[in-house]
Amino acid sequence: MQRRYHVHMSELLRARVAALLSVLWLCACSSAPLADRPAPVSDDAPTLLLVSLDGVRPDALGRGDTPTLDALARDGVQAWMRPSYPSLTFPNHYTLVTGLRPDRHGLIHNAMHDETLGEFRLSDREAVGNGEWYADGEPLWVTAERAGLATATLSWPGSEAAVRGVRPTRWFAFDYSRPIDVRVDTVLGWIDEPPATRPRLATLYFEHPDKAGHDYGPSSPEYREALRLVDRALARLVAGLHERGASDRVNLVVVSDHGMTDVPEGQVIAVESMASPDEARIVSTGQVIGLVPNPGYETRVAARLLGAHAHYDCWRREALPPRWHFGTHPRVPPIVCQMHPGWDAIPGEAIARRPARTRGSHGYDPDLPEMRAMFIAHGPAFRQGLTLDGFDNVDVYPLLTHLLGVTPADHDGDPDTLRPALRDTAP
Ligand code: AMP
Ligand code: ZN
Ligand code: ZN
């Protein structure tokens, strides 16, 4: 449907419809008018535009599906990144904007339990919008707002909540049905604004590759089609910046949160085979399984689970591999089981509903090449044609604070990693 619509509409009509939709979507968002803010922005102050392509592996680039990303990489800086543990969406998006590992910022999984706050699920709008979940870290937009810089987010995980009492000046609740061109045009609209209201930090998020990757696996034509879709959106963005004469005042940092790997049909176990509901509460399923043994069952559950199994390994939280830097946050359950690549653990009743085909997952060991994330930086602040060694994604944060000229909050990153990416000054 969406596709036919694109094929049959003229370019002009499409642009008009997109502009109209942009206005409608803008009205639907929650925001404070940028004009009410202090405006320290000089005419040529650059905007940092942080773009996330959820679930894009660096080796998906350069294969004919991503001409725009390839050109940005060629004319800018590129590298692969090691995601933080666990290699899931919310933990890693929050790491990218705090420089903290999930064990420190507290978004330790997409599904969590907290003694005070209760349950966190991505489908629970109230939890996702509750700043208490995020308060162990200070996201970049909060630091920027506190420094008097306007920020606008569409829709970075964590940006729908007032964290430590501060929100982006403009923010949008995540809505997968918001058309992709509308997202781009909204950001271009921000860039079009006069210096007094133009955001100095803007974010843009695309979930499409992650969705196709889960449904069909990263080796599928559907995943490649999703890559082409987001690449076209980036082409619209780049062309829009060019038309506005804004290319030289926008620093573009395009990242992903983690990679993706194929899960062949049948490579799934029932999570209840690890522990029955009588024995333990299962806090998270999928690839990183968190278990809280019920009172009286601690020894039995530990004896059964701890150690190696055919498709997973389990540890007490204190004994997880040190390279994962994980296990001290109070939200980490007492026992954590890590699935082997290509295997999922989900509720037994959900197994029957799985389509009989290869699908895809992430959430596996961040050191696996298939879990790697992508990094591209392009714009006036960056060198051209530089490929850096792979690095931990905590190192992005000090680069971003440097670009904004704000003082970084306490973080786990190394400011030296991305120093060579910069044209002149150092982070
Ligand atoms: P996962 O694959 O479980 O790590 O989660 C990725 C999915 O989270 C994406 O495909 C989106 O559908 C969803 N998602 C992304 N951002 C948000 C958000 N701000 N609120 C709720 N869900 C989100
Ligand atoms: Zn993700
Ligand atoms: Zn995902």
Side-chain angles (χ1 to χ4, degrees):
M1 185 66 186
Q2 180 86 346
R3 214 185 194 166
R4 285 182 46 198
Y5 176 83
H6 277 289
V7 171
H8 293 305
M9 277 173 73
S10 76
E11 282 299 309
L12 183 65
L13 183 59
R14 204 168 68 181
R16 283 193 180 148
V17 170
L20 180 66
L21 286 171
S22 284
V23 171
L24 293 174
W25 280 111
L26 273 171
C27 297
C29 86
S30 309
S31 71
L34 282 175
D36 290 352
R37 308 183 41 77
V41 187
S42 72
D43 259 18
D44 54 355
T47 292
L48 167 59
L49 175 51
L50 179 62
V51 181
S52 166
L53 312 178
D54 199 317
V56 171
R57 287 163 49 152
D59 63 357
L61 310 185
R63 292 183 171 182
D65 299 320
T66 57
T68 313
L69 281 166
D70 298 349
L72 289 171
R74 208 172 40 242
D75 299 339
V77 181
Q78 59 181 315
W80 60 265
M81 294 193 293
R82 185 182 299 107
S84 297
Y85 188 91
S87 56
L88 297 170
T89 296
F90 264 57
N92 277 284
H93 275 91
Y94 210 51
T95 288
L96 287 161
V97 294
T98 59
L100 296 171
R101 297 202 167 86
D103 202 36
R104 284 188 70 200
H105 66 53
L107 271 286
I108 57 112
H109 201 287
N110 291 337
M112 306 180 278
H113 174 81
D114 180 282
E115 279 307 309
T116 314
L117 302 172
E119 309 304 315
F120 184 96
R121 297 278 178 278
L122 297 191
S123 54
D124 180 346
R125 303 309 314 166
E126 205 179 309
V128 166
N130 177 358
E132 294 298 314
W133 284 101
Y134 307 88
D136 290 352
E138 180 170 294
L140 187 59
W141 52 82
V142 170
T143 311
E145 291 278 342
R146 285 210 170 119
L149 306 182
T151 67
T153 54
L154 194 176
S155 308
W156 202 272
S159 65
E160 299 161 45
V163 182
R164 301 181 181 181
V166 179
R167 287 182 188 281
T169 303
R170 293 180 183 179
W171 58 276
F172 290 78
F174 172 67
D175 179 355
Y176 65 88
S177 70
R178 180 177 289 118
I180 197 158
D181 286 352
V182 171
R183 303 183 197 194
V184 171
D185 291 351
T186 301
V187 170
L188 287 171
W190 295 336
I191 302 293
D192 258 345
E193 290 181 7
T197 61
R198 187 190 305 147
R200 287 285 309 282
L201 167 68
T203 73
L204 183 53
Y205 169 77
F206 298 114
E207 73 283 7
H208 313 74
D210 181 78
K211 170 89 172 66
H214 284 304
D215 289 348
Y216 299 98
S219 314
S220 64
E222 289 84 355
Y223 183 71
R224 295 186 64 174
E225 182 53 43
L227 291 173
R228 288 196 281 269
L229 180 75
V230 293
D231 194 79
R232 282 197 298 272
L234 289 175
R236 184 182 182 95
L237 178 71
V238 170
L241 293 175
H242 187 72
E243 281 160 21
R244 288 161 174 78
S247 306
D248 59 352
R249 58 173 172 78
V250 173
N251 286 309
L252 197 54
V253 176
V254 188
V255 293
S256 63
D257 49 351
H258 50 70
M260 182 78 68
T261 197
D262 282 333
V263 176
E265 188 186 342
Q267 293 205 171
V268 59
I269 63 167
V271 75
E272 299 85 355
S273 69
M274 293 179 169
S276 71
D278 284 346
E279 293 171 322
R281 188 158 48 86
I282 295 176
V283 183
S284 59
T285 64
Q287 303 73 35
V288 179
I289 323 302
L291 300 102
V292 187
N294 292 330
Y297 288 88
E298 293 88 347
T299 314
R300 187 202 292 197
V301 171
R304 166 138 29 89
L305 285 180
L306 297 178
H309 299 261
H311 307 305
Y312 59 91
D313 302 288
C314 303
W315 295 265
R316 287 193 198 282
R317 52 180 257 160
E318 308 78 32
L320 283 155
R323 66 193 166 86
W324 289 346
H325 303 280
F326 194 74
T328 66
H329 195 281
R331 292 176 193 153
V332 178
I335 295 181
V336 176
C337 298
Q338 175 61 57
M339 298 304 292
H340 295 171
W343 283 87
D344 293 335
I346 61 173
E349 43 93 16
I351 293 179
R353 292 201 304 267
R354 280 202 158 188
R357 60 167 185 251
T358 295
R359 43 165 289 123
S361 286
H362 50 88
Y364 304 115
D365 187 339
D367 274 317
L368 291 164
E370 308 91 286
M371 290 301 102
R372 284 179 184 172
M374 53 154 289
F375 174 92
I376 294 173
H378 182 277
F382 296 107
R383 291 192 193 280
Q384 295 187 326
L386 181 67
T387 301
L388 294 173
D389 288 341
F391 59 86
D392 289 354
N393 69 349
V394 289
D395 296 344
V396 173
Y397 175 76
L399 171 77
L400 303 181
T401 55
H402 170 76
L403 291 168
L404 286 174
V406 297
T407 308
D410 182 29
H411 63 90
D412 296 322
D414 178 357
D416 287 340
T417 304
L418 284 160
R419 222 183 280 278
L422 292 165
R423 221 177 257 250
D424 14 71
T425 38

